[in-house]
Amino acid sequence: MTITAPDSVGTLRDGAFGPARSLVCRECGTERELGPHYVCHECFGPLEIGYDFGTVTREQIEAGPRNIWRYKALLPVPDDIEQSPNLEPGFTRLLEAKNLGAELGIAKLWVKDDSTNPTNSFKDRVVACALSAARELNARVFACPSTGNLANAVAAAGARAGIKTVVFIPSDLETPKQVNSAIYTENLVAVDGTYDDVNKLASEIAGEEEGWAFVNVNVRPFYAEGSKTLGYEIAEQLGWRLPDQIVIPVASGSQLTKVHKAFQELVALGLVEAKPYKVFGAQATGCSPVATAYKDGVDAIRPVKPDTIAKSLAIGNPADGIYVLDICRATGGTVEDISDDEVRDAIVLLARTEGIFTETAGGTTVGVLKKLTETGQLDPDLETVVINTGHGLKTLDAVSDRVGPAATIAPTYDAFVAANLI
Amino acid sequence: MTITAPDSVGTLRDGAFGPARSLVCRECGTERELGPHYVCHECFGPLEIGYDFGTVTREQIEAGPRNIWRYKALLPVPDDIEQSPNLEPGFTRLLEAKNLGAELGIAKLWVKDDSTNPTNSFKDRVVACALSAARELNARVFACPSTGNLANAVAAAGARAGIKTVVFIPSDLETPKQVNSAIYTENLVAVDGTYDDVNKLASEIAGEEEGWAFVNVNVRPFYAEGSKTLGYEIAEQLGWRLPDQIVIPVASGSQLTKVHKAFQELVALGLVEAKPYKVFGAQATGCSPVATAYKDGVDAIRPVKPDTIAKSLAIGNPADGIYVLDICRATGGTVEDISDDEVRDAIVLLARTEGIFTETAGGTTVGVLKKLTETGQLDPDLETVVINTGHGLKTLDAVSDRVGPAATIAPTYDAFVAANLI
């Protein structure tokens, strides 16, 4: 990757990454300058953003725009980020879920609903941060390998920003998912191979080509920080306090670790009071390497070959899996998994109780919430938040044989009465 | 319809309809008490809500929630509306569209993007107001005839509110559209007939059954007021001022008339300065009775049999068509129509320039904006707003043969280079 050589970081404009100070290795703590790097040169651990936060107040945040940039003082983005065309994601609804709570026996339950983001998933948050990094690093191409939500978000954000996008997908992807990316970009590239093959090709291109920002490869440290905004918003929307329990889906594990990081930062900055909270991870049984490790009481994640309808969670070798284990164990939470049938049931349950149509990832999270409650892992008397990461319109097939008309009638009042519907 | 007999309105709780004073006939001005009525008993004209607004300030609105209830002092809803479970629609993004503006040669262009509402169309606004009326009138069933967006919105809002829903659709509706309603309700009823047949059946049931609130039939006056919030939000998001020009899709014509009404109310209340603005209506040529009347210079709308991919605009005999003509003519705007191919082109244009994936109705509106500019009907030097009413995920078929992969390659760097993509 040669967007900027390590020694050319001095050519960045002042404040290009806001409060971000450096890239810090999550394993050995080695620091290096900010740039398009993602692996520690010392120990090959993952790099993440280190910050020098100034004073940040609730009032300052509340006076900001109604999107993730209200938290710009806590993200690796410049102070003038709102002036650069972007999709303005975030500040999605936090809905109190009284019906679902009553159904599950949970006294106080909230759904953080990211299905109403611009391209209908939480990926708009991370892509917005990656886009800022790509812009500041003078990338000429904004790219990703993906099978769905990420492809939509990258293609759409790039279109609005006026930067060339290239999106790589497996060639056997369903037509609707292809359309939902191709609508935004001239450069949807179908690759004859598995998703793993597509990913490997992306890393190779990132290493060979100049000026490419692959959101989930060489600008991943910036990208991943976008998930923190889920945590910030939950705390702010609860009235500047933390919940007692939170249930989060686990694909790579990045989202869960970043929500926890967000809560820790808010405490450290004095924006919320410190308090104990439990973090729970949710997986589908067909791709549950982290849940398996949790239940086996081991620290290492054994990779699996995914086989589940929850395709946006189907990462067999999750990069942040070990950190998910650490956080769930340390906070008193757990990692649980459910079957594909339970995922489908949970999609219908959430729709029928709260009017929210979630994709399979959200079905997994809500279904795990149900299982956690039924098995006593989650305390139903404590205030609980569950995250819905995406929209059911993207995974219609998962439920299309499960719901449908209650009756088909002739167009007459007599036929309606005879059907005896309600 | 006997939810409440006309003489039993006294049983409503105080403030059930907020600032609403009465139902007023749009044609003859006759007033009657608030209730589940929609046709004037004197002249059979349509009833709409008459208000006694108190003092309403910008500060009061700005201190409200980030959804349509910030405007509750201007809607027929009670002051405690936020306490009743609802989908919390509205306050969607108003995005400056620099790329699209540059493409069309318009100096200052904004897109009001209602595709990110809870069920991904502006219908969540009107349904939320209808739901409040249904609740205050003690309806036991919340219902509609629909082919798409309205069905989604009614089924979802009813689920969250915990009121029984019944949604009537033509039995030949595509499976994805059925799923997107059936996910929320046990009572999706397929009717063997055309959409007109379904509509007639709904009116018959509304007349025969007690306690049914059909959102677009017997509580239509309340329902329709929800569209005003589009106008309020545009003005507030522009910094409490009106645009010079606005382009709005025309199905029944209700949305266009209500946005104009909203602007007029804001001026009357002193919330924005009075100024001239032009209102333009957008139709697809395959269902363009209002555009035809406009071009023919006549006052009467001749009904048509719709034949267009813009199905959510396909109302052949638009109830508010004559009022649309009045408003467009009086403000100096026009009513224009485009072909289905131009609709498809405009969907791709909006996605590629602004990262917004619109349904066929939005394609119609953006395509008409383009035509208005090219034909000199719209002044490119004036500030212009175009409304996107729904999401492209709902009408994927319209563009699925128009966009797709630029190339299909083997999973190797050499194959990528050989494809010579960018």
Side-chain angles (χ1 to χ4, degrees), chain A residues 351-395:
Chain A
R352 295 272 166 99
T353 52
E354 300 299 341
I356 299 170
F357 186 14
T358 182
E359 65 168 338
T360 46
T364 303
T365 317
V366 170
V368 162
L369 169 71
K370 181 169 186 275
K371 186 171 179 180
L372 291 169
T373 311
E374 287 168 353
T375 56
Q377 298 176 71
L378 184 135
D379 185 339
D381 295 327
L382 295 181
E383 184 170 45
T384 303
V385 173
V386 62
I387 295 180
N388 173 33
T389 46
H391 203 299
L393 279 170
K394 298 190 180 196
T395 58

Side-chain angles (χ1 to χ4, degrees), chain A residues 66 70 87-88 91 93 95-96 99 116-118 120 141 156 159-160 164 166 168 171 176 178-180 182-192 197 201 204-205 208-209 212 347-348 351-357 391 393 396 399-400 403-409 411-413 416 421-422, chain B residues 66 70 87-88 91 93 95-96 99 116-118 120 141 156 159-160 164 166 168 171 176 178-180 182-192 197 201 204-205 208-209 212 347-348 351-357 391 393 396 399-400 403-409 411-413 416 421-422:
Chain A
R66 291 175 195 85
R70 66 200 284 112
L87 293 177
E88 302 179 13
F91 225 60
R93 303 177 298 169
L95 291 171
E96 188 175 352
N99 298 336
T116 56
N117 262 318
N120 307 97
V141 182
R160 181 153 165 82
K164 190 177 283 289
V166 184
F168 296 88
S171 57
Q178 295 195 20
V179 172
N180 200 24
I183 194 75
Y184 301 113
T185 180
E186 289 179 3
N187 296 297
L188 180 70
V189 182
V191 178
D192 283 330
D197 294 328
L201 176 60
E204 205 176 343
I205 297 170
E208 295 286 342
E209 296 283 322
W212 283 55
I347 292 173
V348 177
R352 295 272 166 99
T353 52
E354 300 299 341
I356 299 170
F357 186 14
H391 203 299
L393 279 170
L396 273 179
V399 291
S400 58
V403 299
T408 301
I409 64 173
T412 67
Y413 181 66
F416 165 73
L421 282 162
I422 66 168
Chain B
R66 291 175 194 84
R70 67 200 284 111
L87 293 177
E88 302 179 13
F91 224 59
R93 303 176 299 169
L95 291 170
E96 188 176 352
N99 297 336
T116 57
N117 263 319
N120 306 98
V141 182
R160 182 153 165 81
K164 189 176 284 290
V166 183
F168 296 87
S171 57
Q178 294 196 20
V179 172
N180 201 23
I183 195 73
Y184 301 113
T185 180
E186 289 180 3
N187 295 299
L188 179 70
V189 181
V191 177
D192 282 329
D197 294 327
L201 175 61
E204 204 177 343
I205 296 170
E208 295 286 342
E209 296 283 322
W212 284 54
I347 292 173
V348 177
R352 295 273 166 98
T353 53
E354 299 299 342
I356 298 170
F357 186 16
H391 203 298
L393 278 170
L396 273 179
V399 290
S400 57
V403 298
T408 301
I409 64 173
T412 67
Y413 182 64
F416 165 72
L421 282 161
I422 65 167

